[in-house]
Amino acid sequence: MTELLVGTRKGLFVLEGSADGDFEIVTRAFDGEPVDYAMREPHTGRLYAAVTSPFWGPRIWYSDDLHDDWQPAAGVALPKGGDLALKRIWVIVVADDGSRVWAGGDPGVLFESRDGGASFVLNRTLWEHPTRPRWRRDSGGLSVHSIAPWPGDPDRLAVAISAAGVWLTDDGGETWEHGNAGIVADYLPEEARATAIDLCVHHLERAPRKPERLYLQFHGGVYRSDDGGRSWIDIAAGLPSDFGFPVVLDPADPDSAYVIPVATADRVTPGGRVLVWETRDAGASWTARGDGLPQRDAYIQVLRQSFDRAGEGADLELYFGATSGELFGSRDAGRSWFTVAGRLPAIASVRVGR
Amino acid sequence: MAKVRLRGQVQKLAGGEAEHEIEGATVNELLAGLEASYSALEGWILDERGILRQHINVFVNGELATPETAVADNDRIEILPAISGG
């Protein structure tokens, strides 16, 4: 059985599907409210949802019961009395040993929980970082949207901020350093690129079996790092567009990555064809995977949190959703695809629950 | 003291009671007092800046109020989500 947690503009939808059967919606939550992200903690089974109520503001909710009993987490807020308010939570990530839960959000904030997500504390050094005045808000906000912990060492994190680049910590977030070498922001004048800090990273993923390797989808560029995120190599050659949002890896293969390129100009699937592109040689070459996906008149948007995987290797399953409300899946590592659901509200996130 | 009426989620967070007697000379003072009385409510009506959330309406004796609207003893205050669509 595969469980999909689908955050949409109109609430959370939970779908379940058997190994070879259809998926069905088994429950909904937060009906009518924007659910920007939802995930299940693998150790305890606890569910988390980031909900941005248009009335009551952004919250992280947690529940140990799929069907009920959602509780708001404490501490998910900026310091009181300042000039800014929290706008949205973009991502929630749990350490592989379950000891910490992190949440990233807008305006460029990272929260950490050490009590299983019941309460969170703002990371002050990132919040008060002296370079913050140079961070730039893009059309999606100023968001910490990617959090990539080092397996077995929750003090070592890479986070990505749009638009403030990649940030690395080896001491649990007490200090932070840039990891931006090699990233080229071609939306800036050439003379400004070398010192630019306002780098619009769209998504970042770490290869769990080779944690010094990361993949990054940029605002124009796909990159790989082999030194823990300190420097980056352009690997976009061979893709139809270097623009896109999500990245997914096969945990069994550090040389693997999947991206969904969209056209630079309009940010929809180019040529009306929906294609997932796969590399198995660390970005040296790319192969289109579209068998079963719409191949004509399909101009869809897939947001950065809307692509996820289950399993690994030969059992790798892939799932992605679009703002059109369509949700697609593959049970053979992308070689063939099927439609999981066709008429959901605009999809903001897709996470495999279990 | 004014009488504040809550519904839905904010009622739940305020101990489940619909009606609360809260002190405050203005709507903003009263809302700050309400959130201070129920820690679970903190940040729901006023954001971190102390500003009334954009799509929350406060009525004083049935009239739409602003954060600066004066509040007197026995005034009836309602806190409601704004009309929304889409």
Side-chain angles (χ1 to χ4, degrees), chain A residues 22 57 60 73-74 80 113 172 209 225 261 264 275 320 322 342:
Chain A
D22 292 339
I60 293 174
K80 282 184 86 168
S113 170
R209 303 276 165 77
S225 172
T264 305
L275 292 167
F320 69 93

Side-chain angles (χ1 to χ4, degrees), chain A residues 9-10 54-59 61 72 76-86, chain B residues 9-10 13 41-45 47-49 53 55-56 79-84 86:
Chain A
R9 192 166 176 270
K10 294 293 182 183
F55 307 110
W56 310 111
R59 298 267 175 283
W61 296 79
V76 186
L78 302 187
K80 282 184 86 168
D83 297 330
L84 296 170
L86 183 68
Chain B
Q9 183 68 38
V10 285
L13 292 165
L41 256 187
E42 189 176 307
W44 282 72
I45 301 165
D47 69 19
E48 299 95 316
R49 300 166 296 180
R53 291 200 178 273
H55 298 296
I56 296 299
I79 300 166
L80 297 170
I83 298 166
S84 72

Side-chain angles (χ1 to χ4, degrees), chain A residues 13 43 117 179 206 219 229 233 332:
Chain A
F13 291 76
H43 302 85
R206 188 190 298 277
H219 184 107
I233 303 157
D332 55 11

Side-chain angles (χ1 to χ4, degrees), chain A residues 30 46-51 56-63 69-78 86 89 91-92 101-103 111-122, chain B residues 9 13 39-44 48 53:
Chain A
F30 308 105
R46 174 163 285 186
L47 296 151
Y48 295 95
V51 182
W56 310 111
R59 298 267 175 283
I60 293 174
W61 296 79
Y62 64 93
S63 174
D69 198 31
W70 289 91
Q71 302 291 326
V76 186
L78 302 187
L86 183 68
I89 293 296
V91 65
I92 302 165
V101 184
W102 297 279
F111 295 94
E112 182 181 286
S113 170
R114 296 199 181 199
D115 60 3
S119 66
F120 286 81
V121 174
L122 178 69
Chain B
Q9 183 68 38
L13 292 165
S39 60
L41 256 187
E42 189 176 307
W44 282 72
E48 299 95 316
R53 291 200 178 273

Side-chain angles (χ1 to χ4, degrees), chain B:
Chain B
M1 285 195 282
K3 291 183 172 57
V4 180
R5 194 156 184 82
L6 302 175
R7 305 183 198 176
Q9 183 68 38
V10 285
Q11 178 184 339
K12 245 194 263 184
L13 292 165
E17 296 295 321
E19 196 159 299
H20 303 262
E21 293 204 335
I22 303 287
E23 269 190 90
T26 64
V27 164
N28 224 33
E29 281 185 29
L30 181 141
L31 296 176
L34 178 68
E35 291 199 351
S37 301
Y38 299 97
S39 60
L41 256 187
E42 189 176 307
W44 282 72
I45 301 165
L46 303 174
D47 69 19
E48 299 95 316
R49 300 166 296 180
I51 294 174
L52 179 63
R53 291 200 178 273
Q54 187 181 4
H55 298 296
I56 296 299
N57 286 337
V58 179
F59 294 84
V60 177
N61 300 324
E63 295 285 332
L64 186 61
T66 70
E68 294 76 33
T69 300
V71 176
D73 277 355
N74 297 315
D75 277 353
R76 288 170 292 104
I77 315 297
E78 290 231 34
I79 300 166
L80 297 170
I83 298 166
S84 72

Side-chain angles (χ1 to χ4, degrees), chain A residues 98-172:
Chain A
S99 64
R100 300 179 205 180
V101 184
W102 297 279
D106 183 350
V109 287
L110 178 70
F111 295 94
E112 182 181 286
S113 170
R114 296 199 181 199
D115 60 3
S119 66
F120 286 81
V121 174
L122 178 69
N123 181 288
R124 283 281 188 164
T125 50
L126 198 59
W127 172 243
E128 292 165 356
H129 201 278
T131 62
R132 179 170 281 267
R134 293 166 56 204
W135 300 7
R136 190 190 299 184
R137 175 168 291 278
D138 67 15
S139 60
L142 177 60
S143 54
V144 172
H145 51 68
S146 299
I147 302 168
W150 191 285
D153 187 354
D155 281 344
R156 298 178 75 179
L157 283 184
V159 306
I161 305 175
S162 181
V166 176
W167 291 87
L168 309 168
T169 180
D170 289 337
D171 55 15

